[in-house]
Amino acid sequence: MNFPFMPNRPARLTLLAALALVAYAAPAQAILYPTLDPEPTAQAASPDTPVPAALYRSAFAGVPAGIEQTSVDWKKANADAGQFKRGHADLLKWEQEQAKAANPPSSPAPAPTR
């Protein structure tokens, strides 16, 4: 054999030894990675194969309930929020009216005498 890119004999022998090692390692890989049995795959593809029942567990099981002690009916809360047609602006106006109704303005304090 004549390899123009390998002028010396030891380099050629090293290349041939490496090629022989690769050729020998290929059957060894077949032993390390045997072919799979196709029967379990065929069983899994069959509609007649029994399937175990799925166990359901809520993601919220065991989660603390929170700091709220009461619960509100969501339909009523939705209806209450729906009365504010312009959204947050109407809500602020309503809160101001509620505050005025709860705290009526008191009569002015008499002026201090000298």
Side-chain angles (χ1 to χ4, degrees):
M1 273 192 255
N2 189 8
F3 298 106
F5 57 90
M6 287 189 200
N8 58 5
R9 185 178 176 133
R12 281 183 269 179
L13 290 175
T14 305
L15 175 66
L16 288 175
L19 291 175
L21 183 62
V22 170
Y24 176 73
Q29 277 188 336
I31 294 170
L32 293 176
Y33 303 106
T35 58
L36 297 176
D37 182 15
E39 188 173 336
T41 305
Q43 288 175 350
S46 171
D48 298 332
T49 303
V51 178
L55 300 176
Y56 173 76
R57 182 178 177 270
S58 173
F60 299 107
V63 175
I67 59 173
E68 294 185 16
Q69 300 299 321
T70 61
S71 63
V72 178
D73 179 33
W74 69 268
K75 289 181 182 180
K76 182 183 178 313
N78 241 2
D80 291 345
Q83 72 181 344
F84 305 111
K85 299 299 180 197
R86 294 184 309 153
H88 194 244
D90 282 347
L91 178 63
L92 290 175
K93 184 178 176 184
W94 178 82
E95 286 176 345
Q96 289 172 354
E97 291 171 359
Q98 296 299 316
K100 286 179 186 175
N103 299 327
S106 59
S107 59
T113 57
R114 295 187 184 188

